[in-house]
Amino acid sequence: VKRRERSVAEYVEGVLSNDRTILAQAITLVESNAAKHMEMAQQILNALLPHVGKSIRIGITGVPGAGKSTFIEAFGKFLCENGHRVAVLAVDPSSSITGGSILGDKTRMENLSRDPRAFIRPSPSGGTLGGVHRKTRETMLLCEAAGYDVILIETVGVGQSEFVVRSMVDFFMLLALTGAGDELQGMKKGIMELTDAVVINKADGDNKPKALAAKEEYNQFLHYLRPATPGWETKAYTCSALLGEGIPEIWQVVEQFVETTKKSGVFEMRRRNQLKDWIYSMIKDYLETSFFSHPQIKEKLPIIENNVISGTLSVTKAVQELLQIYENKKASE
Ligand code: GDP
């Protein structure tokens, strides 16, 4: 049986009263690429705008196996028990590239997902990372309007996804393991420069002394990096997501971060800059998609590319020709 379609007003009311079924359906609309759904989703979002922005947005990254889902389950449970409402979202870098999933669609965070104070939404599938970016951001806004006051956004630290998540959160943490030395080399430095806290997980049993040593190593390293957030010193901490040890302390760090950055104005400034960046990245995304999906560009691009490679056409001239084709088509539309 085809469900009767809800009106915009019904969606708005349902989200504001935290009707979880309606919230989930509103997110499905936001995630849809169909023009009709997109139009409706934008009407809903516009009506909800006065109710968004009142949460603390936290990004969590780490390699597969670092313990992200175990940590989020323990952290989320702790927050729920302390009067918060927690929404968990994911940005899965693989879904846009391979169609598969690194974060996994297996039932994760089973305990937390049964808690009525928590809302877990898996990664939106399909589309470019830019498309996933929009969907995750808008899903976050819907969750805020529904009254979730802590938003956790999980991603695997590969490729561009951690930059995308950094661009939509207030606080960004790296979940790390012992053996800091290996991680500190190479690409990890890039992630370190985005982080407000390095949390060394699995600090339990035989692993505890190693975790504490890793904490020192990280702290020494972090000391020489420019902090991700002006006026905030990024430090390393340890915890055991499995045993729940160190979890309240991590929340204290987040609270302190929020207090410090709100006082200094950095919190609001970052949010404003994120909104501006969002506008520009959406424009770039739109233009890029529109350009490369243009039939005449698709036809001419390989030919022009060949001319450049064979040395009969300069790159600048080639690009000018392509843009000419694109703009002429636009004008004749
Ligand atoms: P993810 O891939 O980053 O989401 O990692 P998972 O949360 O799935 O954890 C990977 C493995 O590490 C699982 O077998 C967990 O039980 C284990 N694990 C996670 N956190 C801890 C911890 O604090 N201590 C110990 N000993 N094991 C942990």
Side-chain angles (χ1 to χ4, degrees), residues 113-170:
S113 65
R114 278 196 297 268
D115 194 311
R117 297 163 294 192
F119 181 84
I120 300 181
R121 183 79 181 186
S123 173
S125 59
T128 60
L129 196 53
V132 172
H133 184 180
R134 172 183 69 76
K135 293 169 188 178
T136 306
R137 253 193 173 272
E138 293 182 344
T139 298
M140 175 169 82
L141 299 182
L142 290 174
C143 291
E144 288 179 342
Y148 293 94
D149 67 324
V150 180
I151 313 282
L152 304 178
I153 306 183
E154 175 190 11
T155 195
V156 177
V158 293
Q160 292 295 306
S161 65
E162 63 269 14
F163 292 94
V164 169
V165 172
R166 171 74 268 188
S167 76
M168 54 176 99
V169 297
D170 307 311

Side-chain angles (χ1 to χ4, degrees), residues 58-76:
I58 302 173
I60 299 172
T61 190
V63 296
K68 290 180 296 304
S69 44
T70 313
F71 176 84
I72 289 170
E73 178 136 272
F75 196 57

Side-chain angles (χ1 to χ4, degrees), residues 62-72 102-103 106 108-109 154 156 175 177 200-205 207 239-245:
V63 296
K68 290 180 296 304
S69 44
T70 313
F71 176 84
I72 289 170
I102 296 182
L103 291 171
K106 62 182 154 92
R108 306 165 85 240
M109 306 167 213
E154 175 190 11
V156 177
L175 216 57
L177 296 168
I200 297 141
N201 189 31
K202 309 197 187 183
D204 47 44
N207 204 39
C239 81
S240 168
L242 198 66
L243 305 180
E245 286 173 12

Side-chain angles (χ1 to χ4, degrees), residues 42-317:
Q42 291 314 312
Q43 287 179 26
I44 297 166
L45 280 166
N46 257 317
L48 291 173
L49 277 184
H51 305 277
V52 309
K54 292 178 197 101
S55 76
I56 297 171
R57 304 162 177 173
I58 302 173
I60 299 172
T61 190
V63 296
K68 290 180 296 304
S69 44
T70 313
F71 176 84
I72 289 170
E73 178 136 272
F75 196 57
K77 204 79 191 154
F78 168 80
L79 289 172
C80 288
E81 280 160 9
N82 284 276
H84 296 282
R85 291 177 50 211
V86 181
V88 181
L89 316 177
V91 172
D92 194 335
S94 58
S95 60
S96 51
I97 303 156
T98 61
S101 168
I102 296 182
L103 291 171
D105 294 324
K106 62 182 154 92
T107 327
R108 306 165 85 240
M109 306 167 213
E110 259 186 77
N111 263 320
L112 191 61
S113 65
R114 278 196 297 268
D115 194 311
R117 297 163 294 192
F119 181 84
I120 300 181
R121 183 79 181 186
S123 173
S125 59
T128 60
L129 196 53
V132 172
H133 184 180
R134 172 183 69 76
K135 293 169 188 178
T136 306
R137 253 193 173 272
E138 293 182 344
T139 298
M140 175 169 82
L141 299 182
L142 290 174
C143 291
E144 288 179 342
Y148 293 94
D149 67 324
V150 180
I151 313 282
L152 304 178
I153 306 183
E154 175 190 11
T155 195
V156 177
V158 293
Q160 292 295 306
S161 65
E162 63 269 14
F163 292 94
V164 169
V165 172
R166 171 74 268 188
S167 76
M168 54 176 99
V169 297
D170 307 311
F171 186 91
F172 192 70
M173 70 167 90
L174 169 68
L175 216 57
L177 296 168
T178 56
D182 310 334
E183 274 197 303
L184 288 174
Q185 290 171 9
M187 63 168 264
K188 279 286 176 280
K189 184 168 172 280
I191 295 183
M192 218 72 79
E193 284 171 336
L194 306 176
T195 9
D196 297 308
V198 175
V199 177
I200 297 141
N201 189 31
K202 309 197 187 183
D204 47 44
D206 290 347
N207 204 39
K208 198 160 183 176
K210 272 188 267 173
L212 291 170
K215 181 172 101 167
E216 294 313 316
E217 269 181 78
Y218 271 105
N219 275 333
Q220 277 173 25
F221 182 78
L222 287 164
H223 191 70
Y224 294 101
L225 286 186
R226 198 165 62 112
T229 303
W232 175 258
E233 198 186 342
T234 301
K235 287 195 213 146
Y237 307 86
T238 58
C239 81
S240 168
L242 198 66
L243 305 180
E245 286 173 12
I247 298 292
E249 287 79 2
I250 304 293
W251 177 242
Q252 271 176 17
V253 171
V254 175
E255 280 188 313
Q256 206 180 359
F257 174 90
V258 172
E259 198 191 310
T260 306
T261 53
K262 280 199 172 164
K263 210 179 271 172
S264 68
V266 166
F267 188 93
E268 277 308 316
M269 192 181 68
R270 171 175 273 150
R271 286 240 175 141
R272 279 199 302 273
N273 287 338
Q274 287 177 338
L275 278 172
K276 271 198 270 179
D277 288 348
W278 191 14
I279 298 176
Y280 292 107
S281 70
M282 251 181 111
I283 292 174
K284 279 187 214 154
D285 242 40
Y286 172 82
L287 286 177
E288 194 177 316
T289 310
S290 155
F291 181 85
F292 287 107
S293 62
H294 190 303
Q296 266 176 286
I297 296 289
K298 280 209 273 199
E299 188 191 314
K300 287 278 166 56
L301 192 55
I303 304 163
I304 290 182
E305 208 180 87
N306 263 333
N307 292 342
V308 171
I309 289 164
S310 64
T312 57
L313 187 65
S314 78
V315 170
T316 303
K317 193 84 184 69

